[in-house]
Amino acid sequence: MKIVDIHVRTFRYASCVIRDSEGHGHPGANHEARQSIVTIVADDGTEGTMVGGISQSVLDGLVKPAILGQDPFYRERIWQTLKERQRLNLSSLSDRVVAVIDCALWDLAGRALGLPVYKLLGAYRDKVPAYASTMCGDDLPGGLDTPEAYAAFAVQCRERGYPAFKLHTWQPPIPGAPDVRRDVAACAAVRQAVGLGVPLMLDPYHYYSREQSLYLGRELEKLGFAWMEEPMDEHSMSSYVWLSDRLDLAICGPETVEGKMHARAEWIKHGAADILRGGVGDVGGITPLVKIAHLAESFGMRMEVHGGGLANLHVLCAMGIPGQFYERGLLHPFVDYEEPAPWLNRIEDPMDDEGFVHVPQQPGLGWDFNYAHIEGNLI
Ligand code: MG
C-alpha cells in the first residue's frame, strides 16, 4: 500500500464558545467559527482522517515530500522522518501538525484492517471513567463566576454521573485573576458541596510563583485533592522539582512543555512530577503518547492523559496502568456538551450514567462526520 494524497478541508460552523484575549474559551453569542480535517488517501482508496489543520505551505513544502509514496503502515518511520524535519522547521511543523498526520495514519490503518485503533495498539479496556473538566473561570452571572457557582456545577456534574471533577479557575483577562486565595475558595466550596469521596483536581493559572504554588498545594492537601496541574511555567523544571519536594499533593505534568517523550523522561529522572502527563496534541500523536505511557509504566508512575477526543480515548483504552481518567470537557453550566458539533453526527465521547466513556468499535478512530455539513460549508 502507498500514500497517494493528503488534503485539508476547512469549513464554517456556528459556535457559541468565544475566546478571550488570552485564548481561553467561554460561553458567548453564536458566531461563525472554522474547523479543519486532514485526510490521507492510500492507493487502494482507504482513507484516514483526523481533526486539525495544516497550512498549505507546510503541507506542500514539508509534509507531502515526507509521506507521499510511503507505505502508510510504516507509521514509526514516517513519524521519525517528520520529527527530523521539525529540527529546522519548529515554527511551522509543530507537534500539533505531526500529531494530526500520525493520528490520520492510525485511523487509516484501522480502517484498512477493520479494527478500532485501541485494538491495533493492544487493548486493555473498552471504557474509561471520565472526570468533568470545567472551562476557566469567568465573570458571567450564574456561570463560573464565584466559588459557589463552581460548587453548584460540581453537584450538577456528580448528578450527571461524573465520578470526579477538575476546576480550571480564573485566569487573566478575567478581572481579579489570578488570585491563589480565590482559587482555594473555589476548591474549598467544591469539596464542601460534593463531600470527601469525590476525587477533585485543580488546573490554575500557569504562571504563579514558587511560593504561590506552594501555598495552593498546601491548601489542596488539606482539602484532600487528587492532584494539581501546571501552576508554574513548565519550562522551569527546577521549579517543579522544588515544589514536588515540598508537597505530599501529587503534581501532574508536564502538559504543554515541548520535547515529547524526552522531556517526560527528564521530569521523571529529576522528580519534577508524581503523575506523568501528555496528550496526542502535546507530544506529536498516538505514536509518541504510547511511548510515554510505557515510560510511565516502566517507572511505576501513573499517567493522566491530557485532553479528550477520540485519539486520546483510544490510547487510554490501550494503557495497562490502572486508574486513569478521561478528561471530558471543557464543561460549563451554559454549554450543552452532549450536543454534537454541526460537523459531527454524534459526539466523540458519549458517557453512560456511571460516568464511563466508551471507545468506538468501528474500524479506525471511529469518526462519524457530517459530510453534508462539511462539504456544504467549505472555505
Ligand atoms: Mg491542564
Side-chain angles (χ1 to χ4, degrees), residues 308-361:
L310 285 170
N312 282 324
L313 180 57
H314 280 277
V315 173
L316 271 166
C317 286
M319 283 166 56
I321 330 173
Q324 312 89 345
F325 289 108
Y326 174 87
E327 181 169 10
R328 196 163 191 261
L330 301 175
L331 308 180
H332 190 281
F334 297 169
V335 176
D336 182 5
Y337 186 80
E338 310 299 330
E339 182 68 25
W343 41 277
L344 291 174
N345 291 322
R346 59 182 165 86
I347 58 170
E348 294 172 55
D349 52 3
M351 186 180 82
D352 67 24
D353 293 342
E354 273 80 52
F356 285 97
V357 171
H358 297 249
V359 68
Q361 296 302 309

Side-chain angles (χ1 to χ4, degrees), residues 166 168 203 206 229-230 255 277 306 327:
K166 188 171 90 187
H168 288 97
D203 187 350
H206 309 302
E229 288 170 26
E230 208 179 348
E255 178 174 302
R277 189 143 179 84
H306 169 223
E327 181 169 10

Side-chain angles (χ1 to χ4, degrees), residues 199-276:
L200 297 177
M201 296 78 86
L202 172 66
D203 187 350
Y205 179 58
H206 309 302
Y207 304 99
Y208 280 133
S209 67
R210 290 185 180 194
E211 290 79 9
Q212 288 169 320
S213 302
L214 182 60
Y215 167 79
L216 261 183
R218 289 200 170 136
E219 294 301 312
L220 295 189
E221 284 173 353
K222 295 177 201 163
L223 295 169
F225 266 53
W227 77 70
M228 176 164 66
E229 288 170 26
E230 208 179 348
M232 304 176 288
D233 191 327
E234 289 184 340
H235 290 100
S236 174
M237 187 176 66
S238 295
S239 294
Y240 280 87
V241 175
W242 182 92
L243 184 65
S244 294
D245 280 350
R246 283 160 177 77
L247 289 175
D248 290 330
L249 175 74
I251 297 298
C252 182
E255 178 174 302
T256 53
V257 77
E258 308 84 350
K260 307 177 178 69
M261 60 279 181
H262 306 296
R264 273 88 191 158
E266 296 299 327
W267 277 54
I268 294 173
K269 180 183 173 189
H270 291 92
D274 304 284
I275 303 171
L276 208 57

